[in-house]
Structure formats: structure tokens, C-alpha cells
Amino acid sequence: MTGATATAAPRTPSPPPPATARSAALAGTGVLLRFGLRRDRIRIPVWLLSLTLGTMLTANSLSTLYTTEAERASTAETMGSPAALATSGPRHYLTDYTFGSMMGHQMLGFTAVLVGIMSVLIVSRHTRAEEETGRAELVRSTVVGRHAQLAAALGVAVVANVALALLFAAGLAVMGIESIGWGGSLLYGFAHAAAGIVFAAVAAITVQITAHARGASGMALAVIGLAYALRATGDVGTDALAWLSPIGWVQRTYVYVDDRWWPVLLALAFAALLAAVAFPLSTRRDVGAGLRPTRLGRPAASDLLTRPVGFALRLHRGMLIGFGAGVFALGVMYGSILGDAEDMLKDLEEIQEAIEALGGATITESFASIIALILAIVASIYVVMAALRPRAEESAGRAEPLLATGLSRTRWVLSHVTVAAVGGVLLLAVAGFGFGIAGAAATGDNDLVGKLTWASIAYAPALWFTIGFAVALFGWVPRYGTLAWLIPVYSFVVGYLGQMLQFADWLNNLSPFGHVPQLPAADLEWAPLLVLTALAAGLVWLGLLGFRRRDLETK
């Protein structure tokens, strides 16, 4: 009997081989990858087309601005100053300053930052944001491996970056510009893709650390800022610092000069290492939680926190401080090269024509007015994110308990609008002040501190219009709220490149930033600012009207 029982006893299942375990952990990755691409069928193409169009327009403007070899040599001499190297790239590009090397020198580092932002937002959206809304838990209740969601998010980022690389390569190569051929253009595209994939892997780690999508995105964006700062410091002084930055690596492909591919492979290997760290980290936390525990608040809220505006300010505080530090550093960086502006631009006929169109302002004043516009557009990124915060709160289910109290919908939305509007003006002031003090130090003109601060603040009505547009979308068509990003993107293209590329005036007039007086190169006019303010108020009112009439998204 005993022997029969022993014979009938079930066998102890042997542990599955490692390959099977890995397959189980990644089960469903392909389906989630296709689903992610389906969800981003509008976002990713908008990113890709915007970046490709901006790159092609820049290449075209370089070929039309610097028509002779003497002009390019003169520009290379000017770009050798420390301030210019900090804003562009390493000095080695200047040894043969063709159109191709100008693209690599002046655009690669800047565009790599934008590609990094795109990659961070993709990974954060498909991982941490999904956990915040509860959809990740629903997906994981099906036959999906524990690593499938993160792998699919990284896969979406890789697909987007590879597609961008091919678009860059094809777009630049077919333009037929001297020194910009297929080989260099392919490297130019994949250098950007490598930087984007590295920052996607960085985001794969930051989404494991914090329990909130905005916090994870902010940490990854801070890494991009640090990488850019290391790159700038290394290009000016010690080259070793630039080798601590992925942006510095891809710049050292020396595209269109030496065409080195191994820095791209180095970046991809580093990205693989970061991803290998991210996957084990994801198993050390619960779904919806982060490795860093959420700090408990005070036992009793302060008087400010019990008010709608104070509560909204608490939610926006981290992002506002981060943007404030960023725009101040950007203003200082641009201000430091203000003293070189006249030498850089005095021989460019198109710039002289643009200056004449501004009423005979000096080159320094005209250059400062363009930089003030760029700082304002950067600030508009913050106000779009802040104005769309109510939508994020609604989608996450946090708006419902607030509105179940005595807080009205109007007061709730207006609290976020107030913080966005006032915060945007503060960012303009901080950016303009940083631009002014650095510009005054570079030129010796102390009056620039006040002039450039006010030149930046003059864009406040344009920021308010941008907020109003976002609130109107949130009120009536919340699912299309991301269309609010069209204003910063469009304004950058027509405002920054429009004068050099001689866009038609009506294209500039479609942007709210195109109606702001270009201080300090032009005189202050109050009429367009008052009209923009009135339109902004009207759009906010329209958005509130729509929000009061539609159903609240509940969980």
C-alpha cells in the first residue's frame, strides 16, 4: 500500500528554464506595443513632422544666409568664443565650417534636447501615467507579463526615434545642399535617435522611483538639463565633462566632418545598461507605488492649503520651480553671448533686412528681441502643462472628491488658471532678468537689465491667450486638450525662423506671440496687448461655460 501510494504521488514540477521565465515576463509585449503606437498615432507624427520640418528649414536657412565661403569662415571665427561654444557645440566642427558641419555644430545638441523630451514623455505616458489612471492594473489582470508594459513603452520610444532618424536622413539628403550627403545625414539622424533612446531609458528608471507621472517626467527632464549643462561646460573647458553627457557623445560623432559612428554605439550600449537596471527595479515596488515612499503631509493643512488657489499652487509648485531655474539659466546663457551678437550677425544681409523692418534698431537690440521671444515660448510650455492640469486631475479621479464638496467647478478651474497665469508671468520675469544681468555683463550696458526684463514680460498676454485656448479645449473637447501644444510649436517655427526665411506676414499673425511688440527693438504698443488679454479672458470664460455643461469623467 505504501509502495502504491508512493508510486501515485504527483511529481514535483521542475522549475522552468530561464528562457521560459523571460518569455513569461514579456508576454503581451507585442500587443501592448501595437496598442501604444495606436494611441500615439497623432502625438508621435506631430513630434516627428515638427522636428523634421524645423531641421529642414534650418538647413535651408543656413544655405541661403551663408552663401560664400568667406561668410562661413567669418562665422566660424565668431563661433569660437566660449559663449558661442557653450550654446552650440565642440570646437572641432569649426575646422571645416561647411553647411553640414554648421548643422552638426549648431543644431545637433539643441535638437537632441527636444528629441530627449519627446522620448521621456512617451515612456512616462505609457508607464507611470497608466498606473496613475488605474488602466495599468486592468491590463495586468489579463495575460500580460510583469515586464511587458515597460518593454512596450520603450519599444514605442525606439520606434519613434528610429522613424525620426530616417526622416532626418531623407529630409536633409534630398535637399541637395553642398556637403550634406546621404552618409552624413544618416549619421545625423541616428545620432539624434541614440540620444533619444538614452533619455527614454533614463525615464524607464525615473518612473520606478516616484509614484507620479509629472514627478517622473520632471526627474528625467532634469537629467536632460544636466546633460546639456555638462556638454556646454565640456565644450568650453575640460573635454572630459562633455564625455559625461549623452548629448556630448552624439555631438562627438562630428557628423559631416569625420562621420564617426562609434559614439552612437556607445550611447545605445548605455541605454541598454539603463534599461537592464530599470526592469529589476520595477519588480521591487507595487503597481501604483514608487520606490521612493510618498511623504506624509502635515497633520493639519495650513490656511493657504485649504483654499483652492493655495491647493493648486501646491500641485504646481515643483514644476514652477523647475521651469524657473531652467528659464533663468537659459536667459543667462543667451545673455552671455549678447556682446558677440553684433560680430556674429553684422555681415548677414538677411539679418540686416530684418533689422530694417524693425525700424532701424541696433543688431544687439534685434537679437535680444528674438531671444525674448524664445524665452517666452519656453515659458509657454509651462503654461500649457499648467492649464491642462485640471484635465489630468479629472482623468486620475482626483477632481471628483474635490467637486463633491462645496467647491464649484468654476472656482476649481480658475484656481489652476490663476496659478498658470501668474506663474507664467513670474517665469517671464525670471528669464528676462537672467537675460538682462548676463547681457549687461557682456555688453557693459546696465540699462539692459530693465529693458530685457520688460521685453520678456511683454509676452504675458500671449501666454494668457495660450492658457485660454487650453482651457477652452478642456471645457468643450477635453480629449483634444493636447492640441494646445500647437501654439508653442507653431509660434516657435514662425517666430524664430520666419524672419530669416521670409515667411508671409499672415503666417506670423496667426500666432499670439506675433502680435507682441518686439521689445527692445520696437516701441511698446498697448493696443495688441489689451486685445490679446481680452481674447484670453473670453477663451477662459468659454472653457468654463463648456466645463459646467459637460459631464465629469468619473472613476
Side-chain angles (χ1 to χ4, degrees):
M1 185 67 182
T2 302
T5 303
T7 304
R11 293 183 178 178
T12 301
S14 59
T20 304
R22 285 196 296 270
S23 300
L26 295 173
T29 300
V31 175
L32 291 177
L33 173 60
R34 292 194 295 274
F35 181 57
L37 292 173
R38 172 75 171 78
R39 289 184 60 201
D40 282 352
R41 64 189 182 281
I42 296 177
R43 291 170 184 261
I44 291 178
V46 168
W47 269 105
L48 301 188
L49 291 177
S50 300
L51 291 170
T52 305
L53 181 62
T55 298
M56 294 178 67
L57 287 175
T58 303
N60 181 67
S61 67
L62 290 177
S63 63
T64 54
L65 283 172
Y66 305 97
T67 54
T68 67
E69 188 174 348
E71 289 177 342
R72 293 193 291 273
S74 175
T75 303
E77 185 177 351
T78 304
M79 295 299 288
S81 67
L85 291 175
T87 57
S88 54
R91 190 185 298 273
H92 184 66
Y93 283 100
L94 304 177
T95 56
D96 186 13
Y97 217 44
T98 61
F99 294 123
S101 59
M102 292 173 80
M103 283 294 295
H105 186 227
Q106 300 183 25
M107 291 299 297
L108 209 164
F110 175 73
T111 312
V113 172
L114 299 179
V115 177
I117 293 174
M118 176 190 74
S119 302
V120 166
L121 295 180
I122 287 175
V123 174
S124 179
R125 167 177 161 80
H126 290 287
T127 53
R128 178 53 66 183
E130 290 296 284
E131 294 186 32
E132 272 194 280
T133 58
R135 286 192 291 264
E137 188 174 3
L138 182 65
V139 169
R140 292 191 181 200
S141 66
T142 64
V143 185
V144 171
R146 64 170 59 181
H147 294 320
Q149 198 160 23
L150 180 58
L154 287 172
V156 173
V158 170
V159 169
N161 279 283
V162 171
L164 181 67
L166 297 176
L167 284 174
F168 274 3
L172 289 173
V174 300
M175 293 180 72
I177 299 175
E178 178 187 346
S179 75
I180 299 182
W182 275 100
S185 298
L186 202 61
L187 176 58
Y188 184 85
F190 275 95
H192 285 89
I197 292 172
V198 168
F199 291 120
V202 170
I205 292 179
T206 60
V207 296
Q208 314 303 330
I209 297 174
T210 178
H212 302 286
R214 290 179 181 273
S217 299
M219 292 171 64
L221 294 178
V223 173
I224 295 178
L226 176 63
Y228 191 86
L230 287 171
R231 191 283 306 162
T233 307
D235 289 341
V236 174
T238 306
D239 195 57
L241 289 176
W243 284 104
L244 298 177
S245 164
I247 299 176
W249 299 348
V250 297
Q251 279 190 320
R252 277 151 182 78
T253 55
Y254 295 125
V255 59
Y256 299 115
V257 179
D258 294 339
D259 285 346
R260 302 195 301 191
W261 278 88
W262 63 264
V264 173
L265 300 178
L266 174 64
L268 294 178
F270 185 63
L273 177 63
L274 292 176
V277 173
F279 282 107
L281 288 179
S282 67
T283 63
R284 296 176 179 271
R285 63 175 182 84
D286 294 330
V287 177
L291 293 172
R292 187 180 65 181
T294 304
R295 290 185 303 174
L296 296 177
R298 297 177 180 175
S302 64
D303 290 340
L304 181 63
L305 200 58
T306 58
R307 303 176 188 279
V309 173
F311 184 61
L313 179 61
R314 177 66 182 82
L315 295 177
H316 292 259
R317 185 180 62 181
M319 186 170 63
L320 184 58
I321 293 174
F323 264 88
V327 295
F328 179 78
L330 193 63
V332 170
M333 185 180 68
Y334 278 119
S336 64
I337 64 172
L338 198 58
D340 299 328
E342 193 153 347
D343 291 334
M344 286 190 295
L345 306 176
K346 64 181 180 181
D347 296 329
L348 302 182
E349 183 179 351
E350 287 77 3
I351 296 297
Q352 296 294 342
E353 292 176 356
I355 291 172
E356 290 177 2
L358 292 173
T362 65
I363 291 178
T364 301
E365 290 174 337
S366 302
F367 180 73
S369 68
I370 295 174
I371 299 305
L373 169 65
I374 294 174
L375 296 175
I377 291 175
V378 174
S380 72
I381 296 174
Y382 161 77
V383 300
V384 169
M385 296 175 70
L388 293 178
R389 182 62 186 260
R391 175 57 180 166
E393 295 294 301
E394 181 186 4
S395 300
R398 293 189 290 266
E400 185 181 1
L402 277 177
L403 297 175
T405 63
L407 180 62
S408 68
R409 292 190 178 197
T410 299
R411 290 184 64 199
W412 178 66
V413 174
L414 283 181
S415 65
H416 288 277
V417 170
T418 302
V419 173
V422 176
V425 177
L426 287 176
L427 291 182
L428 291 175
V430 168
F433 182 70
F435 187 33
I437 58 173
T443 61
D445 184 2
N446 293 329
D447 292 341
L448 285 177
V449 178
K451 285 183 179 178
L452 298 185
T453 302
W454 284 113
S456 184
I457 293 177
Y459 282 95
L463 291 190
W464 296 337
F465 181 92
T466 305
I467 294 171
F469 183 61
V471 173
L473 290 171
F474 165 71
W476 290 97
V477 283
R479 63 180 299 185
Y480 296 111
T482 52
L483 292 177
W485 290 105
L486 287 175
I487 291 184
V489 173
Y490 181 80
S491 299
F492 175 77
V493 173
V494 300
Y496 185 59
L497 302 175
Q499 290 185 355
M500 290 188 292
L501 302 182
Q502 299 181 351
F503 285 178
D505 290 340
W506 65 269
L507 289 174
N508 191 50
N509 292 334
L510 292 178
S511 164
F513 294 84
H515 298 278
V516 177
Q518 295 181 314
L519 304 176
D523 295 330
L524 176 63
E525 296 180 15
W526 285 100
L529 301 182
L530 294 175
V531 171
L532 281 173
T533 303
L535 290 174
L539 287 170
V540 170
W541 173 80
L542 186 65
L544 291 173
L545 185 65
F547 183 54
R548 287 200 299 266
R549 292 189 177 188
R550 71 172 172 85
D551 292 334
L552 188 71
E553 183 177 318
T554 58
K555 296 294 179 183

